[in-house]
Amino acid sequence: MIIIEELKKKYNRQSKFAVDGISFSVNNGEILGLVGLNGAGKTTTINVSCGVILPSGGRILIDDVDIVAEKSKASREIGWVSEFPNFEPNTKAIHLMLYFSGFYKIPRKEAFIRSMDLLRTVGLEEDAYRPASAYSQGMKKRLALASALISGPRNLLLDEILNGLDPSGINLIRKLMLEWKKQGKAILLSTHLLGILENLADRVVIMHHGKIIKTLANEEMKSLGSTGIRIRVDHVDKSLEVILSKYGNVRIDGQNVTITNISDEQDMENISSDISANGYRISHLDLEKTSLEDYFLNLIGEVP
Amino acid sequence: MRQILHEIRRALLAKTTILIIIVIILIPALVVATSISSVNYANSVKAEGYAEGQNLTFTISVYVYSGTYGTPTFGETVNLSVANHNYLLTTDVAGYANVTLQSYNASEIGNSSYTYDQVPGDSSTSLQGRITILKPEENPYFLISRSFYGQNGTLYTSRYGINRVPINNEPRIYGILVTYQPSNLSSFPNISMYYITDKSGIPVVEGIRYNVCESGITYINNFSSQQGGYNYNESEMKYFGTFKSHESMVITPVNLTVNTNTSDYIFEFFSSNGTEVGWIALNLTRTTSPDVVNSLFFTSELPMLSLFVPLLAMLSAFFVFGRDRVTGVLSTVIVRPISRRSVILSRYLASVGAVFVASLASLGLSSILFHYLLGTYIPLSSILLSLWALSVMICGFSGLIFFASSIMNSIGKIIATVMLAFFFLDFFWTFYALPAIPIFVSTYLLNQSYGTLEYLRTQAILDYITPSGYTNLITYLQQHNVSTFVLASYPVSEIYLTLPLVLAAGLLWILLPLLASLISFSRHD
């Protein structure tokens, strides 16, 4: 379980707070998504939470152990994947795994078996004896994940782990996360791929300018916003806009018209007949639902 | 603790660390080998002059050769003075200055002399000698003894002169210089050398005696010989080699001392029919005095170490800590169950320990090289003080880079710090032996009159300021002088050069940068 209380971080005296007094927790068996624009403070939050950098204020508890006051103890139950993993140059992946195992007092023979198992799990078994510095970004991400799991930690902090991965890699990580969730691990995941969070995260914390501006439960994500309709007509004029405005918000882009915030699903059927009845010809029509991404952009004031 | 040891082991086994260790060990070894070649012994020159002939025609030869290494001279000018006439002769490649004179009688030739100035024009370096007229004779091994000729029969003296000489490029050992008087002979005979180790346990002293034989009858057989007080059986002598006689030759019995602790030998030379023609008792090992080795060490190797060790210590600190921190590699370690303080401390100990062990190995190797090449180890006190000075340098400079790495977030800035520290705290700062070059920091600071008490004090203070200065400080303490030029005539306390002060100040350089790094890295990003 990860508990973050009033966390603050600024990198130097002149700068603003990269993270400004945020609080949330990740429960055991929960996947918490951390979303936000670049510079929102996601990476800083994760790096401080796993003890890689020091907080300027607040407190982080890993399984009730303070990451600052009792760093060594708290770190035993942390697995961290950096946004841009970097490893010692010219060191083979398996040797790195064994090196990291040494911090957890894992006997060397067991460490080797465990390392090879993990490398197999993340799809790097055949590259175990290649220098990690020669890996692609996606392979580095996989290796970082394998090294994060070497001690079987109860808390995982994954910073943009899906970036740089191919579709099969994304699918693999997705499955693994669901597996870890079943095992009762607490997972803090930051990502730009908001669509994935909709079906994966139990909660999503939206950050902006170092602050939390919204926390959504999974159910809330699924019922986000309203259904809309997008049509293409032979010509667009003022009277069409007047006709459609009674059903919801109208946005016109050339011959394309989008109606959102349609409150009554029955209206979806009435719209097409109303347009035809008024002498307009519809060449294309489809339904659309507001996504988490749209919701997020609306929330921070950057309407697409 | 286990995590710290794990980290230390990892850092020590890094390729860059191993490379740095190798460089630190090898560079001084090369310096030692080079500096030993500068050990020169006074190249004394010897000469012999003789004449052969009869009636009014005499061939006069003056043989000039190196008394140090036994090699013949070439192109040297010899002034021959015969009956108030002077002849300038030049030695050929065999070391001989020859001239054939006519119209001088045997008395005038017998009273002639030669003069050779070792330093041309400097009469104080002159070698002078009389020209000896050699009698006609045919025995290739012996000359008719001039001392005993005509008294109670015929006595012979060996044509061979045998001496102990240093060996050029082999300063650890002596060789045997054999000079031969070839007068009246058109060819050179072979001689065989036999040897026996000194069994008596009495140290061999340099000594030589011409073997005087009645009709040259002394054969190798079960014959107990007594030479210079040593009793040994010639039948136990071992064969060393057979040599073609020459005017001057050096025999190097260096291989005799391999795999043995014995260095005292007795050598005997025999003609082809077994007649003994000469002998020499010889200690093959020539030790150079500890003062010479100490001086060589402090003037050649230690300055080289003080130049390279800080640079390599800083590079090691950069590779072990600075680079990893900036590139994010260190984060993969920090996230493990190890405290930030332990991370920096373990990397510091690994970096400093590697350079220190390499320096220790370098000093040890140098000492062994000194002993192997010159026969004397570097004095222990010098090694211990040098280790202290090197520790100050290693810890001081490493600590600076650890501190810089803990507050900087760019490889370029850290590299720049390494270069600035190297040039301004090591190179430009400490090489104040070159005050004429104004770029040296110390040139601006050493503005007192050269050699005064204030000058010496300032110089000592300058050395205290930078970790590199501690090799200078301990050099002053060991060599009892300050700088290359100024011999200290003041009590060491007046110029702040006491051992406790040097140790205490060095301790500050060891601890302060480390503490600053620990605090900085533990409390700040």
Side-chain angles (χ1 to χ4, degrees):
Chain A
M1 183 177 189
I2 303 165
I3 298 173
I4 294 169
E5 295 175 349
E6 286 301 315
L7 176 63
K8 288 185 176 184
K9 175 66 184 177
K10 63 159 53 179
Y11 287 97
N12 56 59
R13 286 176 188 171
Q14 291 76 33
S15 67
K16 293 178 180 175
F17 279 102
V19 173
D20 191 3
I22 65 171
S23 300
F24 63 88
S25 62
V26 188
N27 298 315
N28 293 335
E30 181 184 37
I31 299 174
L32 188 138
L34 201 55
V35 300
L37 296 176
N38 291 333
K42 306 185 298 292
T43 296
T44 300
T45 302
I46 287 183
N47 287 350
V48 174
S49 300
C50 66
V52 169
I53 57 176
L54 295 164
S56 305
R59 195 163 74 130
I60 301 110
L61 300 176
I62 306 294
D63 291 345
D64 297 326
V65 180
D66 193 312
I67 189 73
V68 176
E70 296 180 85
K71 161 83 177 50
S72 298
K73 190 177 176 187
S75 295
R76 288 190 187 285
E77 295 302 336
I78 285 179
W80 171 64
V81 175
S82 160
E83 182 178 7
F84 301 108
N86 214 349
F87 302 100
E88 284 187 43
N90 304 318
T91 306
K92 296 180 175 72
I94 183 66
H95 295 155
L96 278 170
M97 293 291 287
L98 294 174
Y99 165 52
F100 293 137
S101 306
F103 289 99
Y104 303 95
K105 302 175 185 174
I106 303 170
R108 195 164 176 81
K109 192 173 178 182
E110 187 191 332
F112 181 81
I113 295 169
R114 202 185 287 191
S115 298
M116 288 307 290
D117 280 347
L118 285 168
L119 289 174
R120 190 179 303 117
T121 302
V122 299
L124 290 177
E125 187 183 15
E126 291 180 4
D127 300 293
Y129 287 92
R130 277 182 62 201
S133 51
Y135 279 9
S136 68
Q137 190 60 28
M139 292 168 82
K140 283 181 181 173
K141 277 274 169 68
R142 290 168 187 250
L143 177 59
L145 179 61
S147 74
L149 297 171
I150 191 72
S151 63
R154 288 197 293 263
N155 303 281
L156 293 164
L157 297 98
L158 313 173
D159 191 5
E160 299 290 358
I161 191 173
L162 302 172
N163 276 11
L165 291 180
D166 53 29
S168 72
I170 293 174
N171 195 38
L172 170 73
I173 302 294
R174 196 170 173 279
K175 283 181 181 173
L176 286 172
M177 278 196 276
L178 292 171
E179 181 70 27
W180 298 329
K181 182 183 169 183
K182 278 184 194 168
Q183 293 169 6
K185 294 183 192 295
I187 302 164
L188 177 57
L189 168 73
S190 81
T191 181
H192 286 109
L193 305 175
L194 304 186
I196 288 177
L197 288 179
E198 286 180 82
N199 297 317
L200 186 67
D202 297 296
R203 284 186 295 149
V204 169
V205 168
I206 300 173
M207 290 186 71
H208 195 53
H209 294 320
K211 292 179 182 290
I212 294 174
I213 54 173
K214 186 77 177 177
T215 302
L216 293 171
N218 186 263
E219 302 75 40
E220 292 176 280
M221 278 187 276
K222 286 178 178 167
S223 61
L224 273 179
S226 58
T227 308
I229 188 166
R230 189 160 50 214
I231 58 174
R232 174 175 287 203
V233 292
D234 57 345
H235 69 280
V236 175
D237 54 19
K238 199 72 183 172
S239 62
L240 178 65
E241 189 175 353
V242 172
I243 293 165
L244 296 177
S245 60
K246 63 186 177 192
Y247 296 106
N249 298 332
V250 179
R251 195 168 69 240
I252 297 172
D253 180 13
Q255 288 181 301
N256 296 318
V257 181
T258 306
I259 308 119
T260 56
N261 285 332
I262 301 170
S263 52
D264 189 346
E265 285 198 8
Q266 186 61 43
D267 287 344
M268 305 284 281
E269 296 173 12
N270 298 336
I271 286 173
S272 59
S273 55
D274 205 358
I275 291 172
S276 300
N278 283 283
Y280 299 93
R281 196 170 64 199
I282 299 171
S283 59
H284 177 83
L285 182 149
D286 61 29
L287 298 174
E288 69 172 22
K289 195 172 186 306
T290 305
S291 65
L292 176 61
E293 194 166 337
D294 296 329
Y295 178 81
F296 166 71
L297 292 172
N298 270 315
L299 194 64
I300 63 172
E302 293 193 11
V303 180
Chain B
M1 189 62 190
R2 184 167 166 172
Q3 280 87 349
I4 293 177
L5 293 175
H6 180 65
E7 260 292 275
I8 290 174
R9 178 173 166 270
R10 176 75 180 175
L12 281 177
L13 293 177
K15 284 177 185 170
T16 46
T17 310
I18 292 170
L19 188 66
I20 284 170
I21 289 173
I22 291 171
V23 170
I24 291 177
I25 292 174
L26 287 186
I27 284 180
L30 289 173
V31 172
V32 166
T34 307
S35 66
I36 285 171
S37 67
S38 69
V39 179
N40 291 317
Y41 296 90
N43 191 16
S44 66
V45 177
K46 292 184 177 178
E48 294 175 10
Y50 54 87
E52 300 168 51
Q54 53 188 333
N55 299 327
L56 293 177
T57 301
F58 289 90
T59 298
I60 299 174
S61 299
V62 179
Y63 177 50
V64 183
Y65 62 99
S66 161
T68 304
Y69 299 122
T71 49
T73 62
F74 170 66
E76 297 296 321
T77 302
V78 176
N79 184 13
L80 177 66
S81 179
V82 186
N84 295 325
H85 289 91
N86 291 327
Y87 299 90
L88 290 179
L89 313 177
T90 305
T91 57
D92 58 21
V93 289
Y96 282 90
N98 299 313
V99 65
T100 299
L101 298 176
Q102 294 177 327
S103 76
Y104 293 105
N105 60 37
S107 173
E108 287 172 315
I109 296 294
N111 287 322
S112 64
S113 64
Y114 63 86
T115 305
Y116 165 68
D117 291 345
Q118 295 186 55
V119 177
D122 184 356
S123 59
S124 65
T125 65
S126 289
L127 282 178
Q128 293 180 332
R130 295 289 293 269
I131 300 294
T132 304
I133 299 177
L134 300 174
K135 306 290 182 186
E137 49 197 326
E138 293 181 352
N139 187 324
Y141 296 103
F142 294 95
L143 294 167
I144 297 170
S145 170
R146 289 175 294 281
S147 303
F148 299 98
Y149 187 64
Q151 298 177 24
N152 301 323
T154 303
L155 289 174
Y156 296 87
T157 185
S158 175
R159 286 177 185 267
Y160 294 91
I162 305 171
N163 258 309
R164 184 170 69 167
V165 290
I167 301 298
N168 206 1
N169 298 323
E170 290 281 1
R172 190 176 66 89
I173 60 158
Y174 280 109
I176 301 168
L177 170 64
V178 181
T179 53
Y180 180 72
Q181 291 192 14
S183 56
N184 298 316
L185 294 173
S186 58
S187 64
F188 299 98
N190 288 335
I191 54 167
S192 298
M193 187 170 88
Y194 286 74
Y195 69 96
I196 190 168
T197 57
D198 170 37
K199 292 180 176 176
S200 66
I202 301 169
V204 167
V205 293
E206 185 178 5
I208 184 165
R209 190 191 73 173
Y210 284 96
N211 195 42
V212 180
C213 306
E214 286 280 353
S215 304
I217 307 299
T218 308
Y219 294 101
I220 301 174
N221 49 30
N222 292 330
F223 174 79
S224 180
S225 174
Q226 185 171 0
Q227 302 279 30
Y230 301 112
N231 293 312
Y232 60 95
N233 191 333
E234 283 186 334
S235 65
E236 295 176 0
M237 297 194 87
K238 294 176 183 172
Y239 174 73
F240 184 83
T242 297
F243 308 93
K244 185 84 169 174
S245 298
H246 200 265
E247 291 93 337
S248 170
M249 62 178 177
V250 176
I251 299 169
T252 310
V254 62
N255 56 327
L256 291 183
T257 55
V258 175
N259 300 323
T260 174
N261 293 324
T262 304
S263 56
D264 293 343
Y265 292 85
I266 295 168
F267 296 93
E268 289 190 355
F269 291 88
F270 295 92
S271 69
S272 56
N273 63 4
T275 305
E276 183 178 340
V277 295
W279 73 279
I280 186 169
L282 192 62
N283 183 309
L284 290 181
T285 307
R286 186 185 55 177
T287 55
T288 309
S289 76
D291 282 347
V292 171
V293 169
N294 217 23
S295 177
L296 273 175
F297 171 69
F298 278 108
T299 54
S300 61
E301 185 184 0
L302 199 57
M304 194 56 69
L305 280 173
S306 70
L307 183 65
F308 278 101
V309 165
L311 182 61
L312 293 172
M314 288 190 287
L315 286 177
S316 174
F318 168 71
F319 285 122
V320 167
F321 183 71
R323 185 187 60 176
D324 282 2
R325 183 179 173 276
V326 173
T327 58
V329 170
L330 201 64
S331 297
T332 63
V333 176
I334 297 172
V335 77
R336 310 290 161 184
I338 182 171
S339 67
R340 295 173 69 88
R341 196 170 54 243
S342 296
V343 168
I344 189 171
L345 193 61
S346 58
R347 298 246 166 171
Y348 176 85
L349 289 175
S351 176
V352 163
V355 181
F356 179 79
V357 169
S359 302
L360 182 64
S362 174
L363 288 176
L365 179 64
S366 301
S367 193
I368 291 168
L369 279 173
F370 271 117
H371 181 258
Y372 179 73
L373 296 170
L374 295 179
T376 301
Y377 291 108
I378 300 169
L380 184 61
S381 61
S382 296
I383 286 191
L384 291 176
L385 276 175
S386 300
L387 276 176
W388 172 253
L390 289 169
S391 301
V392 173
M393 281 199 300
I394 294 166
C395 295
F397 281 106
S398 297
L400 285 176
I401 299 310
F402 268 78
F403 179 67
S405 300
S406 68
I407 60 172
M408 293 174 176
N409 288 312
S410 139
I411 284 184
K413 285 180 183 173
I414 300 172
I415 291 280
T417 306
V418 169
M419 300 314 293
L420 286 173
F422 173 68
F423 282 115
F424 285 97
L425 287 179
D426 189 34
F427 191 80
F428 289 157
W429 189 277
T430 58
F431 279 73
Y432 50 65
L434 302 169
I437 303 175
I439 59 171
F440 289 85
V441 177
S442 50
T443 304
Y444 293 105
L445 302 175
L446 275 173
N447 53 10
Q448 287 82 14
S449 298
Y450 194 61
T452 61
L453 178 62
E454 280 308 310
Y455 179 93
L456 297 176
R457 279 178 174 166
T458 309
Q459 193 160 300
I461 291 169
L462 285 174
D463 284 323
Y464 280 114
I465 288 175
T466 169
S468 288
Y470 286 77
T471 51
N472 293 333
L473 292 171
I474 62 116
T475 303
Y476 304 154
L477 288 174
Q478 281 297 89
Q479 298 281 285
H480 307 296
N481 65 45
V482 175
S483 94
T484 312
F485 310 109
V486 182
L487 192 67
S489 55
Y490 306 98
V492 287
S493 58
E494 285 193 30
I495 46 178
Y496 317 128
L497 270 177
T498 60
L499 185 60
L501 190 56
V502 171
L503 295 179
L507 199 59
L508 288 178
W509 260 118
I510 288 175
L511 293 177
L512 289 181
L514 169 64
L515 286 174
S517 307
L518 279 173
I519 293 168
S520 171
F521 187 67
S522 301
R523 297 186 181 175
H524 308 285
D525 292 311

